[in-house]
């Protein structure tokens, strides 16, 4: 909502559909509704899936087989490639603490390239074997210039993962599960208001020692 459609949706079977007026949707569902976050995340997932589809449609990628415990990249490495897991699971870790896990058909390893810095985490195969596709970061950047939706998705994904890293480093614990999220939130919510404002987020992210623009915040 808010921009022109970028996809076409076609019925392949008979369908009963409920049409919701745009103004009603914006007023009663998106703003202040318990399902607002779910809808936003659903839209983001579709965007991430579309970005992955663009990459796989337009680029030939090299496949590498890793054994359990093998590192795909290490903290301090200069970023040269982006990766997609095809089989197995890869954990991305800062120190001894897990930032996130990467399951099949998910993109990873783009943070450092997007933010223009050495790797700040280590990615390790944590299943018996992992099949990981790779492509040079230069080719990914070239493809992103051709497809604006890919460019914006890579930036958003990098910032989301950077926020996760900030939470991990702040608490010196692996990124919280659902039961631990409230505890982690309260540690960031300095004034105890139950909400995070832009200044609190800025101060929190600045603990990483990097400068973020207003748009990135």
């Amino acid at each position: 909502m808010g921009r022109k459609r970028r996809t076409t949706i076609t019925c392949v079977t008979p369908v009963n559909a409920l049409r919701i007026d745009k103004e009603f949707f914006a007023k009663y569902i998106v703003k202040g509704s318990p399902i607002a976050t779910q809808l936003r995340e659903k839209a983001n997932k579709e965007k991430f899936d579309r970005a992955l589809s663009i990459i796989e449609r337009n680029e030939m990628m090299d496949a590498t087989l890793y054994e359990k415990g093998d590192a795909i990249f290490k903290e301090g490495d200069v970023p040269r490639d982006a990766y997609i897991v095809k089989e197995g699971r890869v954990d991305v870790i800062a120190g001894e603490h897990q930032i996130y896990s990467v399951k099949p058909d998910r993109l990873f390893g783009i943070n450092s390239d997007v933010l223009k810095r050495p790797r700040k985490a280590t990615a390790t195969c944590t299943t018996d074997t992992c099949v990981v596709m790779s492509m040079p970061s230069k080719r990914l950047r070239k493809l992103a210039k051709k497809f604006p939706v890919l460019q914006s998705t890579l930036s958003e994904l990098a910032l989301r993962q950077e926020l996760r890293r900030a939470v991990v480093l702040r608490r010196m614990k692996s990124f919280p599960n659902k039961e631990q999220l409230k505890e982690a939130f309260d540690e960031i919510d300095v004034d105890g208001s139950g909400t995070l404002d832009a200044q609190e987020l800025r101060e929190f992210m600045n603990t990483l020692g990097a400068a973020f623009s207003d748009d990135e915040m």
Side-chain angles (χ1 to χ4, degrees), residues 91-129:
D91 282 358
V92 178
I93 297 170
E96 299 178 353
H97 309 298
Q98 184 189 84
I99 304 174
Y100 59 94
S101 289
V102 192
K103 298 179 181 179
D105 295 321
R106 285 292 173 263
L107 179 68
F108 72 103
I110 53 99
N111 290 42
S112 294
D113 187 66
V114 170
L115 299 173
K116 297 178 175 58
R117 51 135 205 244
R119 301 281 188 193
K120 296 292 185 181
T122 297
T124 306
C125 175
T126 55
T127 48
D128 290 339
T129 58

Side-chain angles (χ1 to χ4, degrees), residues 171-188:
R171 306 177 72 239
M172 294 309 294
K173 299 177 183 178
S174 293
F175 192 79
N177 58 32
K178 289 182 179 179
E179 288 71 33
Q180 300 165 335
L181 275 177
K182 182 64 166 59
E183 175 189 337
F185 182 93
D186 289 343
E187 292 181 22
I188 304 170

Side-chain angles (χ1 to χ4, degrees), residues 10-62:
T10 306
C11 295
V12 294
T13 65
V15 169
N16 290 321
L18 175 65
R19 180 188 294 272
I20 302 173
D21 178 81
K22 182 176 179 178
E23 291 183 6
F24 180 92
F25 182 83
K27 184 175 181 180
Y28 295 105
I29 296 181
V30 173
K31 293 184 179 179
S33 165
I35 65 170
T37 301
Q38 295 177 12
L39 289 171
R40 195 159 50 244
E41 286 305 296
K42 179 176 173 57
N44 280 328
K45 183 181 183 303
E46 290 174 353
K47 187 169 74 169
F48 295 153
D49 289 345
R50 190 159 65 249
L52 194 67
S53 175
I54 290 171
I55 294 171
E56 294 182 325
R57 242 184 14 248
N58 289 275
E59 290 290 339
M60 295 293 292
M61 304 182 73
D62 298 323

Side-chain angles (χ1 to χ4, degrees), residues 117 120 162 165 169 203-212:
R117 51 135 205 244
K120 296 292 185 181
E162 194 70 354
R165 189 171 77 89
L169 294 179
E203 290 175 0
F204 174 63
M205 292 299 287
N206 284 345
T207 62
L208 293 176
F212 295 93

